[in-house]
Amino acid sequence: MQRLLIVEDEPALRRALTINLKARHYEVEAVATGSAALKAAAGVTPDLAIIDLGLPDMDGVEVIAGLRGWSSVPIIVLSARDSQSQKVRALDAGADDYVTKPFGMDELVARVRAALRRADTHELPGEPVVTTSAFTLDLAAKRARRGDLEVRLTPTEWHLVEALLRRPGTLVSGAQLLAEVWGPGYEKEINYLRVYFAQLRRKLEDEPSHPRHFITEPGIGYRFEP
Amino acid sequence: MQRLLIVEDEPALRRALTINLKARHYEVEAVATGSAALKAAAGVTPDLAIIDLGLPDMDGVEVIAGLRGWSSVPIIVLSARDSQSQKVRALDAGADDYVTKPFGMDELVARVRAALRRADTHELPGEPVVTTSAFTLDLAAKRARRGDLEVRLTPTEWHLVEALLRRPGTLVSGAQLLAEVWGPGYEKEINYLRVYFAQLRRKLEDEPSHPRHFITEPGIGYRFEP
DNA sequence: CCGTGGCGTCAAGAACCCATCAAGGAATTG
DNA sequence: CAATTCCTTGATGGGTTCTTGACGCCACGG
């Protein structure tokens, strides 16, 4: 049976979650505080964690970060607010999904199932070789070619390319890229992205001033177009 | 069978609603006061609630807020003709739709069906992609298409679209949209909404001057029609 | 019939974001 | 240890987006 860890300070909601999820044949461990959550997670090694962002003792984002430090357990976040920035922070910290209160129990259960299914199939990364009309990148061997001649990318450039290529076609926010490549705390250094995307385009694109694969969406983020 | 909770103080109307909805094969629980409504909702966990705003013991808006604290059950509001501001407050508190008295039973039943259908298909964790007859929106990848060609939306336009699409088909008050997109304190800047909805319609609708998906409800708010 | 209020449209300046260049300092390599 | 590459940072100019005010239209009510 799969174990769930619930972190929710409000007793009524904690009870409702416990009852409903036990009825769905999950094994449930429920705690009320962030510190208790970190302890419990180490003890029971849950298959999935449901975390309320509004905890009394510590910020929910810290709890997520604390878990992510050593565990890759799927995390679903509950939040009372519709706050977009809080959502982004939670997802950047490593949450897998996000449910806004109030929510229907059916929806939450569906998301729990989906998260567990995803974790089960353990999505293996696709081909580590990406080819476009202009260039070829071998992520594993760290080799880049444009046409016939080989191009050298610096470590930071590779790191940035990997972060983008992980979600081909999808838009990735600048803050997300910065946090992934330079580490948390660098979310404001948007200039780094400008400089490095300029370098990548100069090295890889046919027309660096009219990029076809490393696309900027002004004010939102960047996108890799295969 | 789907359960409906009716909150209506006037005995004649309560009876009429009960009979008509039972005739359409709904299971009906009818109460006369707000406090009874909150108790009943916890007990029978209805699939939809119909709430009269003019209750004797407490404001209908409070009833809605009380429900929304823990449940996302669809709520349809009944209200007298000339209490427009009350309607807006009800929507802000979390109501999904409203019907003005006097109303035809057919109209109410149609709205009940629509609300239940929405709650049923309640966006599952999969791809948050919305498709209409005129355009396609991929919220996660931040991609918009009208027909074959790609359309670019600005950050604020995306934000506004997301705020509306979170409740497809339901009516959202202007103040709610403003608070969500521009932040608290901008609730009065209704002009922003006019400007941005005009831009969205120009970019996405087939006939921007006769919108079929981004609908204005004068004096109340906006609605996204899938 | 006219005033009022809400809505859609338009336009212009302000504010913001991005690409590019350049240079000093840090790190790496031979 | 020296040379080279790499990373960081600031400045500039061009383009886009946001904000704000004004105008006309329509529905409603006096």
Side-chain angles (χ1 to χ4, degrees), chain A:
Chain A
M1 202 195 305
Q2 289 171 305
R3 276 188 300 272
L4 311 185
L5 173 63
I6 295 175
V7 191
E8 167 63 57
D9 59 309
E10 199 184 318
L13 185 52
R14 188 169 67 242
R15 220 179 105 75
L17 288 169
T18 305
I19 290 172
N20 271 283
L21 290 167
K22 275 189 176 166
R24 308 297 217 278
H25 303 102
Y26 293 109
E27 196 178 322
V28 177
E29 175 83 16
V31 301
T33 64
S35 51
L38 293 176
K39 255 187 227 133
V44 306
T45 58
D47 298 299
L48 183 143
I50 300 172
I51 301 181
D52 191 330
L53 276 192
L55 294 173
D57 61 333
M58 55 196 290
D59 188 357
V61 175
E62 292 176 47
V63 181
I64 296 170
L67 272 175
R68 276 286 172 272
W70 57 275
S71 166
S72 64
V73 58
I75 296 175
I76 295 179
V77 160
L78 306 180
S79 156
R81 284 211 224 116
D82 256 355
S83 157
Q84 187 82 7
S85 68
Q86 209 178 27
K87 174 176 177 178
V88 171
R89 281 203 307 135
L91 292 176
D92 280 348
D96 291 89
D97 205 348
Y98 191 97
V99 181
T100 303
K101 287 197 272 191
F103 53 85
M105 202 52 72
D106 292 343
E107 182 189 350
L108 180 66
V109 172
R111 288 184 189 270
V112 167
R113 266 202 303 270
L116 286 172
R117 193 175 336 118
R118 271 200 301 275
D120 202 30
T121 58
H122 205 270
E123 44 179 298
L124 41 110
E127 277 293 313
V129 178
V130 178
T131 305
T132 74
S133 57
F135 54 84
T136 302
L137 294 171
D138 186 333
L139 282 294
K142 293 272 188 297
R143 285 177 163 277
R145 308 186 153 279
R146 191 175 66 182
D148 282 345
L149 39 103
E150 179 143 2
V151 180
R152 283 179 39 81
L153 300 186
T154 73
T156 307
E157 285 164 6
W158 275 115
H159 208 151
L160 181 57
V161 164
E162 284 172 9
L164 243 198
L165 289 240
R166 194 163 304 148
R167 307 85 150 174
T170 302
L171 189 139
V172 186
S173 78
Q176 208 166 331
L177 289 173
L178 285 163
E180 196 157 323
V181 176
W182 279 268
Y186 283 75
E187 287 88 354
K188 294 291 180 188
E189 304 288 350
I190 310 181
N191 240 24
Y192 291 10
L193 292 180
R194 297 204 189 100
V195 172
Y196 273 89
F197 271 106
Q199 286 171 356
L200 283 176
R201 285 166 179 155
R202 187 146 24 86
K203 290 181 178 179
L204 295 175
E205 294 268 6
D206 284 333
E207 294 176 276
S209 50
H210 297 289
R212 298 192 53 218
H213 303 101
F214 293 104
I215 310 292
T216 300
E217 298 277 358
I220 312 182
Y222 292 84
R223 175 201 314 275
F224 172 69
E225 197 75 51

Side-chain angles (χ1 to χ4, degrees), chain B residues 14 41 73 77 87 101-102 115 125 145 147 149 173 183 200 203 205:
Chain B
R14 188 169 69 242
V73 58
V77 160
K87 275 184 240 167
K101 289 200 273 192
R145 307 185 163 283
L149 40 102
S173 78
L200 282 176
K203 289 182 178 180
E205 293 269 7

